[in-house]
Amino acid sequence: MANDNLITPLLLRENNSQPSNHQPHVSLTVDIYAGLQSSDQQHQNEVPDENNQSIPQNPFEFLGVNEFRVPATSTIDPFKNHTLKIEGVYEWVKIIVCLPIALIRLVLFGLALLIGYVATKLALQGWKDVQNPMPRWRCRIMWVTRICARCILFAFGYHWIKRRGQPVPREVAPIVVSNHVSYIEPIFFFYELFPTIVASESHDSIPAVGTIIRAMQVIYVNRFSSSSRKQAVNEIKRKASCSRFPRLLLFPEGTTSNGRALISFQLGAFIPGYPIQPVTVRYPYVHFDQSWGLISLGKLMFRMFTQFHNFMEVEYLPVIKPQENEKENAFHFAERTGHAIASSLNIVQTSHSYGDLMLLMKAAQMKQENPSSYMVEMAKVESAYRISALEAKEFLDKFLSMNPDNSGNVLFCDFLRAMRLKTCSFSEKIFAFIDLEKNGKITFKQFLLGSSYVMKHPSFRHACEVAFSKANTGGNSSLSRKELGDSVGLAIPNMTEDEITELFSMFDNNCDGNVSKDDFINCLRRNPLLIGIFSPLLRQCGTDNGFLEGEEMA
């Protein structure tokens, strides 16, 4: 049919006469692809496999999993440093001319860091009551470290810093949030505000720096631990509510971006419901992008040392107060704050997060041609599919084992090799489930969302348990190679001993020749698409009311 949308009058004209302008008619728009099954789909819903068994086109239909959608991929790379390479005669000449200056700056940096470290150690000496605000006489000693921080900024080439607006008193807004572009902002705010910060636990082990941020009564958080995040929010509430503590500084993006986009906000700063003063930081440049993307710290410091001057602009924006109905809605509070910062910077907001940076760095580490193509806007994916950044990274490891091409696509044959499957009609159906464009290749985003869509389905866990139970015909605590081969043979017949052994090795996590129930379920969680090869077995259970009853109980 030439047109997918069929528009036709509901009421036919009498005697084929021309319609009158005064005669109303009703039109229906019929989408032949609407619904889960059209009449044609019902006719083609089941096709015979090599054993003349009827198998659904969708190998995950038994779970209640239907087709999924993959949102359009953003073309924005918020982590890209645009001057990774030193290019141009001017830049090379400038670096050579500045080399003697760089040595002086390096000495100034080291001296300032040493003095600041000694002053901080003195301020912390004998202080045990770290849960309460730092005594004033200790804070006065910390002024030495704050002056040293300004000297460090000077050594990096920030001879003057342009400011707009003013920080409001702490009692007006106890929390300050800022966009995060480089390691320079924490140094600046340490000098300017001496706030309490929220930082990753790994920062505590950084030489000298770890000691200095402890003097700021840092709130440590493990971003991958829900209990740690909850504890951090409680600490933010406690310290924001006490006027004797310094104001709190948070970078809600959770990582650095390139300043050309504002990535999604974490909600820790907004859950307590206190007024917030947003701050924007810009680094105008022509030849040297100062953002901390996929550039090493040493190279970034060297480039800063070898510039005549590095520009930095800081603007304190008006205070944003939570509305009464937002006391329980941190998301909208964060959304308004993010909009204010993005509007001030005149940049776009994206759904990227620290998880995307993890994927980007992993792809770059594995020498992929275009690492940014592996970003998926994790904030949106986490919300829609309830999948964590660590889980996404594990799926990326699996995808990269499929040998993607320079465009980041994986072919059917490479997919089968990594999944330990053989070419057959059933394997084609599993691949077709995530090959939404039906072009014989898949992207990481399709693989991730398809795998997550199956794994996060409410019946997935129960299906794994039932599959193990039904495959374990011997009634033992573990599954043998033969039992696995017999179970998979219902979907993929005529597998050779070598092919069964290859597949068995994926499930046999500890290589002891047997697959326990935990091994079986963990393998399917790492490779959720493999649950499809047990669908004929589970459909038999459904026929016997075994699987379906268990699913209803779940």
Side-chain angles (χ1 to χ4, degrees), residues 66-85:
N66 299 308
E67 291 184 358
F68 68 101
R69 294 178 180 270
V70 174
T73 301
S74 172
T75 58
I76 298 172
D77 183 353
F79 307 109
K80 181 179 180 180
N81 184 295
H82 290 81
T83 59
L84 276 176
K85 297 180 180 179

Side-chain angles (χ1 to χ4, degrees), residues 46 51 53 88 128 155 176 181 198 200 249-250 259 273 279 290 313 335 387 418 420 422 472 495 517 519 524:
E46 295 189 349
N51 286 341
Q53 294 177 321
K128 304 296 184 183
V176 173
V181 180
V198 178
S200 171
L249 168 68
L250 291 96
V279 185
Q290 300 154 64
E313 298 177 359
E335 196 174 50
I387 182 170
R420 308 291 200 275
K422 63 176 287 187
N472 187 12
M495 290 186 71
K517 184 176 182 180
D519 290 339
L524 290 179

Side-chain angles (χ1 to χ4, degrees), residues 45-63 412 415-416 419-435 438 454 487-495 503 524 528-540:
N45 184 50
E46 295 189 349
V47 295
D49 71 348
E50 290 85 342
N51 286 341
N52 294 322
Q53 294 177 321
S54 266
I55 295 181
Q57 288 281 21
N58 177 2
F60 307 103
E61 185 181 59
F62 71 100
L63 287 175
F412 176 56
F415 172 81
L416 292 185
M419 301 297 288
R420 308 291 200 275
L421 300 176
K422 63 176 287 187
T423 303
C424 67
S425 61
F426 201 89
S427 299
E428 290 172 356
K429 293 179 179 64
I430 293 177
F431 186 80
F433 177 75
I434 52 179
D435 179 17
K438 309 306 177 189
V454 173
S487 302
V488 174
L490 295 173
I492 306 177
N494 304 321
M495 290 186 71
L503 183 62
L524 290 179
L529 297 178
L530 287 182
I531 190 64
I533 63 178
F534 298 99
S535 61
L537 182 68
L538 293 171
R539 288 170 69 229
Q540 286 183 353

Side-chain angles (χ1 to χ4, degrees), residues 28 147 151 275-276 313-314 370 444 516 553:
L28 283 180
I147 298 299
C151 293
I276 286 175
E313 298 177 359
V314 178
N370 185 16
F444 170 64
S516 67
M553 291 174 63

